[in-house]
């Protein structure tokens, strides 16, 4: 049987965080040989918040460099930049007409972001989940590897697909999410009840994939924990649970192994140990990304080539969609 299709995206707004890596990118790499995968730097999503144009261009290419450095093969996977494939915008418009105002009003990320950017609550910010649904449905994706914070958006994409199929027959594959059981929600190091976000104004709250080892160590040493001084995974110990999750992923150790390792030790030893494990996890990725970022022509050629591959696949779905809704064929 032919391989199933995977689609996922990441915003090139700012530098990529350890949360993005653990929640999503790590799994993208893990499943790359078992599926036909499309991985996208979603620059059209990024402009829902004001961006510096020069930086956005650079960061879109930097995302492609980072994906390669994480271990994704740009020949085997289709890795590209969203705005280079115009069908995303075209399908998003069509799907807008099959999405309800009330559905979009319920999106928690919209509520959060419109509070954060209260001076710029633009229509794109509100409509963002429809563009995301278009990204996924355009390629008939079966599976979407994401972190926990994108679950609600994925559910909306499923609802839109089912609604459209209900009217026109089986046009879209209804996608499933793939959220890791451990690491689907990496928390801020400064406020461990909040998710780690690459745009957090507090630099100590987040680890970035390109952070220098010194910065990583400093941030982990400062990480907020609790006053119990016991390295155990337990309800309510948000800071420690988060550090244990990160340490477990960086070292491959289970929670009980970690508890045993730090049984008679305090946080003073645990926190730098997490830092060191993360430094080693990120070191090769950081070095390779920085190397690749110097090869702009190479990155550009990958983007151009893969955008063409993506566009050809997208066109298959678009032809069906145009016909179904009553557009005159080109
Ligand atoms: P974005 O760019 O915010 O994040 C990229 C991926 O990283 C995951 N993630 C996290 N996982 C665990 N812990 C965290 N603290 C954390 N922060 C982020 C996100 O869940 C995501 O999987 N709307 C999407 C991008 C997108 C997309 C798509 C994803 C656009 N179109 C189609 C999947 C399919 C977003 O803003 O992700």
């Amino acid at each position: 049987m032919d391989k199933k299709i995977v689609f996922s995206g990441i915003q090139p707004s700012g530098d990529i965080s350890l949360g993005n890596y653990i929640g999503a990118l790590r799994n993208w790499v893990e499943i790359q040989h078992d599926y036909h995968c499309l991985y996208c730097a979603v620059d059209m999503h990024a402009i829902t918040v004001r961006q510096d144009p020069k930086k956005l261009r650079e960061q879109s290419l930097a995302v492609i460099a980072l994906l390669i450095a994480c271990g994704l093969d740009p020949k085997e996977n289709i890795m590209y930049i969203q705005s280079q494939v115009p069908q995303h915008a075209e399908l998003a418009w069509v799907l807008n007409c099959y999405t309800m105002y009330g559905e979009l009003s319920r999106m928690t990320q919209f509520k959060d972001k419109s509070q954060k950017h209260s001076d710029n609550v633009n229509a794109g910010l509100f409509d963002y989940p429809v563009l995301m649904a278009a990204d996924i449905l355009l390629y008939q994706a079966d599976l979407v590897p994401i972190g926990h914070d994108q679950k609600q958006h994925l559910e909306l994409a499923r609802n839109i697909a089912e609604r459209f199929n209900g009217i026109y027959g089986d046009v879209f594959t209804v996608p499933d999410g793939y959220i890791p059981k451990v690491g689907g929600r990496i928390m801020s190091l400064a406020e461990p009840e909040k998710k780690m976000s690459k745009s957090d104004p507090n630099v100590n709250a987040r680890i970035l994939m390109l952070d220098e080892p010194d910065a990583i160590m400093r941030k982990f040493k400062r990480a907020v924990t609790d006053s119990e001084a016991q390295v155990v995974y337990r309800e309510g110990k948000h800071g420690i649970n988060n550090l244990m999750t990160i340490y477990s992923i960086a070292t491959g150790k289970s929670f009980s192994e970690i508890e045993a390792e730090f049984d008679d030790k305090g946080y003073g030893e645990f926190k730098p140990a997490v830092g060191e494990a993360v430094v080693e996890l990120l070191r090769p990725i950081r070095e390779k990304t920085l190397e690749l970022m110097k090869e702009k022509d190479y990155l550009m050629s990958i983007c151009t080539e893969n955008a063409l591959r993506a566009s050809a696949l997208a066109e298959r779905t678009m032809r069906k969609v145009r016909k179904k809704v009553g557009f005159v064929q080109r």
Side-chain angles (χ1 to χ4, degrees), residues 225-257:
T225 48
D226 53 56
S227 53
E228 281 184 1
Q230 253 192 322
V231 181
V232 287
Y233 196 97
R234 195 191 309 134
E235 184 91 23
K237 283 173 77 77
H238 301 290
I240 288 297
N241 294 350
N242 190 40
L243 293 181
M244 284 181 69
T245 302
I246 295 171
Y247 189 66
S248 166
I249 280 155
T251 60
K253 293 176 187 166
S254 67
F255 288 156
S256 52
E257 283 171 325

Side-chain angles (χ1 to χ4, degrees), residues 48-65:
T48 53
V49 169
R50 282 288 171 270
Q51 303 289 337
D52 176 292
K54 185 165 175 275
K55 262 200 195 149
L56 181 61
R57 234 185 316 270
E58 279 169 11
Q59 278 161 353
S60 298
L61 284 181
V63 164
I64 302 297

Side-chain angles (χ1 to χ4, degrees), residues 87-251:
Q87 287 91 345
H88 286 255
E90 188 184 359
L91 183 58
W93 179 257
V94 174
L95 297 183
N96 271 331
C97 305
Y98 300 82
T99 309
M100 298 303 129
Y101 176 84
E103 288 178 298
L104 291 175
S105 312
R106 284 194 289 276
M107 295 292 120
T108 52
Q109 204 163 67
F110 170 70
K111 291 183 204 162
D112 290 349
K113 283 205 177 176
S114 48
Q115 263 175 12
K116 250 198 225 156
H117 304 277
S118 54
D119 55 336
N120 183 22
V121 185
N122 60 70
L125 196 64
F126 185 65
D127 197 33
Y128 177 116
V130 181
L131 180 58
M132 179 161 160
D135 299 340
I136 298 166
L137 303 183
L138 200 47
Y139 301 100
Q140 309 290 347
D142 298 283
L143 197 67
V144 183
I146 41 174
H148 193 267
D149 63 334
Q150 295 301 318
K151 190 167 181 242
Q152 197 186 27
H153 290 163
L154 182 77
E155 269 157 23
L156 179 69
R158 290 171 54 91
N159 291 342
I160 297 172
E162 278 165 357
R163 182 171 305 139
F164 199 93
N165 288 349
I167 304 171
Y168 300 108
D170 279 343
V171 177
F172 297 122
T173 302
V174 180
D176 285 318
Y178 171 27
I179 300 173
K181 283 204 180 71
V182 176
R185 191 169 162 81
I186 295 298
M187 311 309 276
S188 151
L189 298 187
E191 295 168 82
E193 272 135 78
K194 262 177 45 181
K195 122 186 142 158
M196 182 183 287
S197 159
K198 58 184 171 237
S199 58
D200 197 315
N202 177 357
V203 293
N204 291 319
R206 51 178 163 77
I207 301 290
L208 300 178
M209 295 298 284
L210 300 185
D211 272 349
E212 306 259 354
D214 283 356
I216 297 178
M217 289 305 294
R218 195 188 63 239
K219 292 177 191 180
F220 275 109
K221 282 183 190 161
R222 283 194 189 169
V224 169
T225 48
D226 53 56
S227 53
E228 281 184 1
Q230 253 192 322
V231 181
V232 287
Y233 196 97
R234 195 191 309 134
E235 184 91 23
K237 283 173 77 77
H238 301 290
I240 288 297
N241 294 350
N242 190 40
L243 293 181
M244 284 181 69
T245 302
I246 295 171
Y247 189 66
S248 166
I249 280 155
T251 60

